[in-house]
Amino acid sequence: MERIQKILSAGANVVLTTGGIDDLCMKYFIEAGAMAVRRCKKPDLKRIAKATGALFISSLANLEGEESFDAAMLGSAEEVVQDRVCDEELILIKNPKARTAASIILRGANDFMVDEMERSIHDALCVVKRVLESKSVVPGGGCVEAALSIYLENFATSISSREQLAIAEFARSLLVIPKTLAVNAAQDSTDLVAKLRAYHNSSQTKPEHAALKWFGLDLYEGKIRDNKAAGVFEPTISKVKSLKFATEAAITILRIDDLIKITEEKKDQRHPHDELED
């Protein structure tokens, strides 16, 4: 009861907790005109604390070993209401003061459709997050892989050692991405990748065709298009990390020069009848 009084006396009128609240304790909140919400998820509370400017605490104990609650730990929002959305009762926190926040409510015919919508939105938000982290984008549709493949092939011809073979193979392996994109879209991968290579080779060898460096695959029409003008982009950090991790994985595999396989012991599978004869 003392803990509740300390929280209420600090000016709190909405309390959210991950645990349960006894009915007797709930009576104190009702008499004080405060809202108490129990059994909230910890990730949700952390998001609410971040949006409202509140402090997420697991105990009222301070450094002196005494229990206290300061008004500085409280957050603020314009309105906290309980509303009904479809068949669910939801607690809505509107216009938090610390920073802007929004919730997306998904509605679908069944749980499978809603789950698929959630995955799609999650992927889209992750792409936006990566773009904000890297602060730059590159054209998609296999554009980067094709351009890098042509560049490395031309670079390999300038090297007169056996390293030329490794660089040429690396350049050839980069074409797996545009080929896979074309196959997944039920398009002719051989024809499309050949055209894409021709475009990027022309952009790197002829200055008047430099604008062709933005061209990539159009998997809807089955042709090559300017993906910059079409608005098809990918986060730079995702492209760099995928190439880096794939290269490191290939190097790790190539460093394995021997393989030792331990075979299991063959158990004596004699029939019990044979043992009786012995």
Side-chain angles (χ1 to χ4, degrees):
M1 307 305 175
E2 294 180 0
R3 295 176 181 175
I4 296 175
Q5 292 298 334
K6 289 177 180 179
I7 295 174
L8 294 176
S9 60
N13 53 12
V14 178
V15 178
L16 299 97
T17 178
T18 57
I21 301 177
D22 188 76
D23 292 338
L24 181 59
C25 298
M26 189 68 73
K27 175 176 174 293
Y28 284 90
F29 287 109
I30 295 173
E31 291 177 350
M35 177 188 293
V37 184
R38 53 190 170 190
R39 296 185 179 90
C40 300
K41 295 181 180 178
K42 186 178 289 186
D44 293 342
L45 291 185
K46 289 183 178 179
R47 294 191 188 99
I48 293 171
K50 189 175 182 180
T52 60
L55 184 63
F56 181 80
I57 59 174
S58 57
S59 174
L60 296 181
N62 53 26
L63 296 177
E64 287 77 19
E66 299 177 355
E67 291 187 343
S68 62
F69 189 85
D70 190 25
M73 300 178 180
L74 297 174
S76 58
E78 183 177 314
E79 186 180 11
V80 180
V81 296
Q82 183 176 351
D83 199 0
R84 187 177 185 84
V85 179
C86 293
D87 297 331
E88 300 290 337
E89 294 286 346
L90 301 179
I91 303 295
L92 304 181
I93 301 174
K94 300 180 180 180
N95 297 329
K97 300 299 182 182
R99 61 184 67 190
T100 56
S103 299
I104 301 175
I105 299 177
L106 303 178
R107 296 184 180 181
N110 49 55
D111 292 340
F112 300 104
M113 184 179 293
V114 173
D115 291 341
E116 190 64 32
M117 292 165 60
E118 183 181 0
R119 281 192 290 269
S120 300
I121 291 178
H122 179 267
D123 293 343
L125 292 176
C126 287
V127 171
V128 175
K129 176 185 175 183
R130 293 300 182 191
V131 172
L132 294 176
E133 287 177 354
S134 61
K135 298 181 180 179
S136 61
V137 293
V138 292
C143 174
V144 173
E145 289 81 6
L148 188 56
S149 175
I150 294 297
Y151 176 82
L152 290 177
E153 281 186 356
N154 296 332
F155 175 69
T157 57
S158 64
I159 298 177
S160 58
S161 63
R162 65 178 64 186
E163 294 177 356
Q164 180 185 126
L165 300 175
I167 297 173
E169 286 297 326
F170 187 89
R172 195 174 296 112
S173 67
L174 290 172
L175 298 177
V176 171
I177 299 298
K179 285 181 180 178
T180 304
L181 291 174
V183 170
N184 289 342
Q187 301 291 346
D188 187 352
S189 61
T190 304
D191 185 51
L192 283 177
V193 173
K195 290 180 181 178
L196 185 62
R197 282 169 49 81
Y199 272 76
H200 284 280
N201 182 66
S202 179
S203 70
Q204 295 181 24
T205 56
K206 300 177 181 178
E208 63 272 16
H209 293 162
L212 297 179
K213 66 181 179 180
W214 305 108
F215 277 64
L217 299 178
D218 181 1
L219 299 177
Y220 288 103
E221 302 294 334
K223 61 182 182 180
I224 310 300
R225 69 175 177 186
D226 186 352
N227 278 344
K228 180 184 177 182
V232 180
F233 295 102
E234 296 182 60
T236 304
I237 188 172
S238 297
K239 187 66 65 178
V240 171
K241 284 187 176 181
S242 62
L243 291 173
K244 184 183 296 184
F245 293 157
T247 305
E248 290 176 355
I251 292 173
T252 302
I253 294 173
L254 291 174
R255 283 176 178 170
I256 301 174
D257 57 356
D258 198 1
L259 180 65
I260 301 175
K261 186 176 181 180
I262 301 176
T263 57
E264 296 182 1
E265 275 186 42
K266 293 184 178 180
K267 297 181 179 179
D268 188 10
Q269 298 181 350
R270 298 177 63 187
H271 197 274
H273 180 69
D274 298 337
E275 296 180 358
L276 293 176
E277 291 181 353
D278 294 342

